[in-house]
Amino acid sequence: MLSDRILNMGISKTLEMTAKARKLKELGYNVINLSVGEPDFFPPSFILKAAKKAIDKGYHNYTPISGDLELKKMICKKFKRDNNLNYSNSQILISNGVKQSIINLFLALLNKNDEVIIPAPYWVSYYEMVKFCQAKPIIIPTTIKSNFKITSKQLKNVITSKTKIFIFNSPCNPTGCVYSKKELKTLVKILSKNPKIIIISDEIYEYIIYEKKHISIASFSEIYNQTVTLNGLSKSFSMTGWRVGYLGGPEWLTQACEKIQGQTTSCVNSIAQRASIVALKYNQKKILKKILNSFKKRRNLIITFFKEIPTLKFKSPDGAFYLFIDLSFFLKKNQSSNNFSMHLLNKYFVATVSGESFGSKNGLRISYASSKKNLFEALFRIKKFLNELLNSSYMYH
Ligand code: GLU
């Protein structure tokens, strides 16, 4: 018999939709997968070369649990260079993607019924991981009107004596919202008055940002000691399968996470770690300029398309590579966007992720990390589907 913990756990919708799309593809259907957040570029060649060199040079053994020392040093440099954050080697832990960093932190910090504040829409796994640790997700809802951002008042209102963690994600998956310095300051004011709350700042989309500037919340000195900054190589270097994530944070907490890794996964793949050293060596903004331009063009393309459908509401994303649209107009009362995304996949072969698992039941996430050709075709099919809905009784209106 399975544990209650696992029976109560939902399946990752992002990965489930990807698996469904893959299956249909294998059956011969022409599926366009806009579900998973996975760049379609090749990692830069100098990173691939470094990985090959590491194989030939014999980096085949376990690294220290917390990571290859050279990589940890490079991560410290990166944090200083790009985020104005001072971390020493002992504050760094390298994990199998940011995902493992997050579960490490939750396992290290949460007791039963502790509360974790999560702004919604949120990335699917935050919620399920909190539940998995028998803690309580406390959701702060946001809307298109508020640009999907929470206010300090909202934050203040949900803090209780049981609040243990505030999870923060800017640029945000799935909404693409990016907090400005001024907005961060208002949140910092509240958080600094509650020094027992640990802030987990997931900055995996740091470099996929268009008009705005990324600011690490830990760079506000008032909250540095209560903040953990997470990042990784998956999104910026198109290295999703390499599984390299890392965190910088208070030493006591980093050590607790290290203890968990020591008993569970030992360390991250040694070759991937060696390659990551060269990836982080250079100013990433320069390396990623071309990729960022492509993402921007794709974002503009998809936005121009959806602007022509006034019944679909959305906010143009400032970062990441997702568009989160409000489907309310097309849904029957009490119906979630699950049916919508399943129909879109099964009949029109376009994979997306419904908003329900992001904590927004009328929403739909579309990843535009796909070629222009794919996007054009997908948008054409989506339009066809919307026309079908307008002419059928499926709609509430
Ligand atoms: N983070 C990506 C996404 O949201 C990858 C899949 C996952 O781990 O959820 O699509």
Side-chain angles (χ1 to χ4, degrees):
M1 182 69 181
L2 294 172
S3 67
D4 293 345
R5 198 185 283 130
I6 196 69
L7 290 171
N8 289 330
M9 190 187 218
I11 289 174
S12 162
K13 266 277 176 261
T14 47
L15 300 182
E16 190 187 32
M17 285 306 280
T18 309
K20 284 195 165 119
R22 200 177 283 144
K23 205 160 200 175
L24 284 170
K25 235 179 202 166
E26 278 164 16
L27 291 172
Y29 295 100
N30 176 11
V31 180
I32 301 174
N33 187 5
L34 307 184
S35 64
V36 75
E38 178 158 59
D40 58 329
F41 303 104
F42 223 60
S45 59
F46 69 91
I47 299 178
L48 302 180
K49 264 191 207 147
K52 288 172 195 159
K53 200 167 148 194
I55 292 176
D56 292 337
K57 282 206 157 181
Y59 285 91
H60 306 299
N61 301 100
Y62 293 126
T63 70
I65 302 166
S66 59
D68 180 307
L69 184 60
E70 258 188 84
L71 177 56
K72 282 169 56 172
K73 282 185 185 165
M74 192 54 78
I75 290 169
C76 292
K77 276 191 191 157
K78 182 262 169 222
F79 272 136
K80 182 74 199 154
R81 181 190 67 211
D82 300 350
N83 312 102
N84 196 25
L85 290 174
N86 287 309
Y87 289 118
S88 58
N89 296 338
S90 57
Q91 292 179 278
I92 304 294
L93 181 81
I94 298 155
S95 307
N96 288 286
V98 169
K99 234 167 169 165
Q100 191 190 11
S101 295
I102 298 169
I103 192 70
N104 280 342
L105 288 163
F106 285 177
L107 288 168
L109 289 167
L110 295 173
N111 285 317
K112 200 170 176 179
N113 294 328
D114 279 345
E115 294 178 357
V116 179
I117 300 173
I118 315 177
Y122 46 75
W123 173 56
V124 295
S125 297
Y126 298 150
Y127 187 89
E128 291 300 329
M129 285 189 199
V130 170
K131 273 188 3 199
F132 188 71
C133 295
Q134 298 181 304
K136 280 190 191 153
I138 304 295
I139 306 303
I140 305 182
T142 66
T143 60
I144 291 176
K145 248 188 170 166
S146 68
N147 288 341
F148 292 119
K149 293 179 200 171
I150 61 164
T151 62
S152 57
K153 197 171 163 206
Q154 280 180 301
L155 179 62
K156 194 175 167 193
N157 285 344
V158 293
I159 292 176
T160 72
S161 58
K162 288 200 175 263
T163 307
K164 203 72 179 274
I165 296 174
F166 169 56
I167 186 139
F168 187 65
N169 177 217
S170 171
C172 171
N173 171 9
T175 65
C177 77
V178 176
Y179 283 72
S180 68
K181 192 168 182 183
K182 204 170 149 198
E183 288 159 344
L184 289 176
K185 215 171 179 171
T186 63
L187 302 182
V188 167
K189 211 170 160 190
I190 304 296
L191 294 162
S192 61
K193 285 187 190 138
N194 294 277
K196 283 195 179 144
I197 297 179
I198 296 293
I199 304 149
I200 298 182
S201 180
D202 177 352
E203 303 182 8
I204 187 73
Y205 294 95
E206 167 176 15
Y207 296 105
I208 320 231
I209 192 163
Y210 307 109
E211 287 81 15
K212 303 210 170 164
K213 197 173 168 274
H214 171 74
I215 296 161
S216 290
I217 196 164
S219 64
F220 288 85
S221 58
E222 309 92 291
I223 53 154
Y224 170 81
N225 284 331
Q226 63 186 107
T227 306
V228 189
T229 309
L230 312 183
N231 215 321
L233 281 85
S234 295
K235 312 293 179 182
S236 32
F237 293 104
S238 317
M239 289 164 69
T240 49
W242 294 56
R243 310 310 299 135
V244 183
Y246 54 88
L247 65 79
E251 207 173 305
W252 61 271
L253 189 48
T254 307
Q255 275 172 7
C257 292
E258 184 178 344
K259 194 169 160 188
I260 297 170
Q261 268 185 206
Q263 293 287 22
T264 53
T265 55
S266 302
C267 67
V268 173
N269 178 299
S270 54
I271 308 299
Q273 288 196 64
R274 293 306 296 175
S276 300
I277 298 172
V278 297
L280 296 183
K281 196 167 175 181
Y282 307 102
N283 185 312
Q284 295 170 54
K285 270 184 208 144
K286 272 189 198 152
I287 301 169
L288 299 171
K289 214 172 164 187
K290 240 171 123 183
I291 289 182
L292 201 59
N293 261 338
S294 289
F295 277 137
K296 199 170 170 180
K297 279 187 191 147
R298 294 167 184 192
R299 178 199 64 170
N300 294 347
L301 181 149
I302 177 165
I303 275 170
T304 310
F305 170 85
F306 282 112
K307 268 191 183 152
E308 282 172 16
I309 308 170
T311 46
L312 282 179
K313 305 272 178 257
F314 64 90
K315 154 89 182 68
S316 174
D318 293 316
F321 35 64
Y322 309 106
L323 182 68
F324 199 71
I325 53 178
D326 179 357
L327 291 175
S328 303
F329 181 83
F330 289 90
L331 302 176
K332 280 184 185 169
K333 208 176 187 177
N334 299 327
Q335 196 176 39
S336 94
S337 51
N338 269 342
N339 295 17
F340 184 100
S341 72
M342 285 319 298
H343 197 78
L344 185 59
L345 176 63
N346 291 327
K347 187 162 177 204
Y348 292 93
F349 304 109
V350 178
T352 53
V353 188
S354 94
E356 198 165 357
S357 37
F358 297 98
S360 170
K361 86 180 185 27
N362 294 345
L364 185 81
R365 191 189 80 171
I366 300 173
S367 163
Y368 53 87
S370 193
S371 70
K372 259 185 161 176
K373 185 170 165 262
N374 276 348
L375 288 176
F376 269 124
E377 176 59 26
L379 294 175
F380 174 75
R381 294 185 199 177
I382 290 173
K383 198 169 190 174
K384 252 174 126 178
F385 179 35
L386 293 177
N387 281 336
E388 180 200 323
L389 289 180
L390 285 171
N391 296 323
S392 77
S393 56
Y394 180 74
M395 286 200 335
Y396 175 55
H397 297 263

